[in-house]
Amino acid sequence: MKAVGYFKSLPITEAESLLDLDLPMPSPGPKDLLVEVSAIAVNPVDTKVRVRRASADGSTPVILGWDAAGTVRAIGPEVRGFAVGDRVWYAGDITRPGSNAQFQCVDHRIAARAPASLGDAEAAALPLTAITAWELLFDRLQVQQAPQRPVSLLVTGAAGGVGSILVQLARRHEHLTIIGTSSEPEGEGGQWLRALGAHHVINHREPLAPQIAALQRDGLPPLRYVTSLTHTPQHFKDFIDALEPQGKLAMIDDFGPADLDVMALKGKSLSLHWELMFTRSMHATHDIGAQGQLLAEVAALVDAGAVRTTLSEVVGPISAQTLKRAHALQESQRQRGKLVLQGWPA
């Protein structure tokens, strides 16, 4: 089968940073689906793993990719709820070979049938970010519990992949007023976020707390929740200043252990939450099937017109050349929505 992978961790500008490969077809394990991959998306995790993880033995390539849509071609003996020919979507498991290959094995418990209303490229844009956004909102912040009063939710870096789906999921909860951040609140970034459902857009190149305070003087409900999707240390003090007592802060980005003064949370009894959407698959948790279930729920929301794809560009077919371009765009940190690759070169 065709695949794109690498052996050495290199800058994306290097010729061997990503390579076109010919690899053996994988065989599904007892709980696996064997999926013929039709489309993939690129996420920040792809570029992070590429620069941190080299081939363990120098001869087995690293295959990235944690977003896919495709068709089931074989199933393991313990698989339930799927059949050969099903069209599925999933984000996969970071400890296994990724979706940058024509065929991939994935645990059926973290997959679901793809939305019928979306093509493969549109569907591939959503799984990883939908899982991350869903778990941030409903597992970490628990915004679904007893909405007794109007409150606000702040989403930093809201125009990116996770933010673009999170804003849509949050907007379905009428008690939430959503504030997104962008580097261009009155430009394309702000327009994108308002179209997705953000009530307000503020500038994350400026201090956030004064901007939120200004909105509160105009009637903004108390800031109960913050989802910090990027540059958490830069905004941490503003989060603490702006959050109401007993508020909740959830984050997904990477930084050093000395970058946050967590004791600063104590005065307001603020809670701090981490989200990593690979936790359930990495540790085979008791509720690993929750990821497949939530993907099924997101698919239903998409088919009902309540959530739209966050696809921003189909870069081209799945090859080393097009993946290099997508990685470079992702590393620019100015990507809005999701980059997708579809199909394989002849």
Side-chain angles (χ1 to χ4, degrees):
M1 67 174 183
K2 293 180 180 179
V4 178
Y6 66 93
F7 299 93
K8 302 175 184 178
S9 294
L10 296 168
I12 200 59
T13 52
E14 296 290 326
E16 296 186 354
S17 59
L18 291 171
L19 300 166
D20 290 310
L21 303 170
D22 188 12
L23 300 177
M25 177 89 71
S27 298
K31 292 183 171 63
D32 285 346
L33 308 174
L34 176 65
V35 179
E36 183 175 6
V37 175
S38 302
I40 61 171
V42 175
N43 294 281
V45 64
D46 295 74
T47 63
K48 291 176 183 178
V49 173
R50 196 197 75 246
V51 299
R52 296 175 185 173
R53 183 197 298 173
S55 170
D57 58 10
S59 60
T60 302
V62 180
I63 307 299
L64 305 173
W66 294 284
D67 255 338
T71 303
V72 177
R73 296 306 184 197
I75 60 174
E78 297 178 21
V79 170
R80 300 293 182 269
F82 292 92
V84 172
D86 284 346
R87 184 168 166 268
V88 296
W89 66 344
Y90 54 89
D93 179 345
I94 200 168
T95 67
R96 303 183 69 178
S99 56
N100 296 351
Q102 280 184 301
F103 293 88
Q104 180 187 15
C105 292
V106 61
D107 190 313
H108 74 287
R109 295 171 294 179
I110 59 173
R113 288 179 180 83
S117 60
L118 296 185
D120 290 336
E122 295 170 314
L126 286 173
L128 183 145
T129 52
I131 293 168
T132 302
W134 188 286
E135 291 181 351
L136 274 168
L137 285 171
F138 307 131
D139 294 336
R140 310 297 166 239
L141 297 180
Q142 299 182 320
V143 300
Q144 78 276 30
Q145 293 187 0
Q148 298 174 347
R149 63 192 171 97
V151 292
S152 297
L153 162 71
L154 174 67
V155 186
T156 62
V162 174
S164 292
I165 186 68
L166 193 149
V167 167
Q168 294 184 75
L169 292 174
R171 185 58 191 261
R172 299 181 63 249
H173 294 259
E174 294 182 358
H175 71 293
L176 291 180
T177 297
I178 304 159
I179 312 152
T181 79
S182 171
S183 60
E184 43 181 11
E186 303 307 321
E188 290 184 5
Q191 293 170 10
W192 170 265
L193 289 174
R194 291 182 182 92
L196 293 176
H199 297 89
H200 306 281
V201 183
I202 61 177
N203 193 335
H204 54 222
R205 291 181 174 176
E206 300 176 3
L208 299 179
Q211 297 178 77
I212 294 168
L215 291 173
Q216 288 174 332
R217 288 193 291 272
D218 291 332
L220 181 77
L223 184 64
R224 176 76 175 165
Y225 307 109
V226 171
T227 54
S228 181
L229 308 181
T230 184
H231 294 93
T232 295
Q234 174 184 333
H235 302 302
F236 191 64
K237 184 179 183 302
D238 277 329
F239 295 154
I240 294 169
D241 290 344
L243 276 163
E244 70 170 358
Q246 303 180 91
K248 297 173 182 285
L249 165 61
M251 52 195 182
I252 65 172
D253 53 337
D254 299 332
F255 43 83
D259 289 337
L260 298 185
D261 175 15
V262 295
M263 281 300 297
L265 302 167
K266 186 174 182 179
K268 287 185 174 180
S269 295
L270 302 176
S271 60
L272 184 64
H273 307 262
W274 279 106
E275 161 60 19
L276 177 66
M277 58 76 53
F278 293 116
T279 295
R280 283 175 163 135
S281 57
M282 285 173 62
H283 300 283
T285 61
H286 71 282
D287 61 348
I288 186 173
Q291 284 200 344
Q293 293 166 12
L294 76 84
L295 281 175
E297 291 191 51
V298 173
L301 290 172
V302 170
D303 287 338
V307 171
R308 76 185 206 191
T309 182
T310 54
L311 168 66
S312 59
E313 180 183 352
V314 177
V315 184
I318 305 168
S319 69
Q321 180 181 357
T322 49
L323 264 175
K324 285 179 182 179
R325 177 170 176 253
H327 276 231
L329 287 168
Q330 188 68 63
E331 288 175 347
S332 73
Q333 297 187 348
R334 293 186 60 83
Q335 178 59 37
R336 189 161 51 246
K338 293 293 292 292
L339 298 169
V340 171
L341 288 74
Q342 182 176 21
W344 294 86

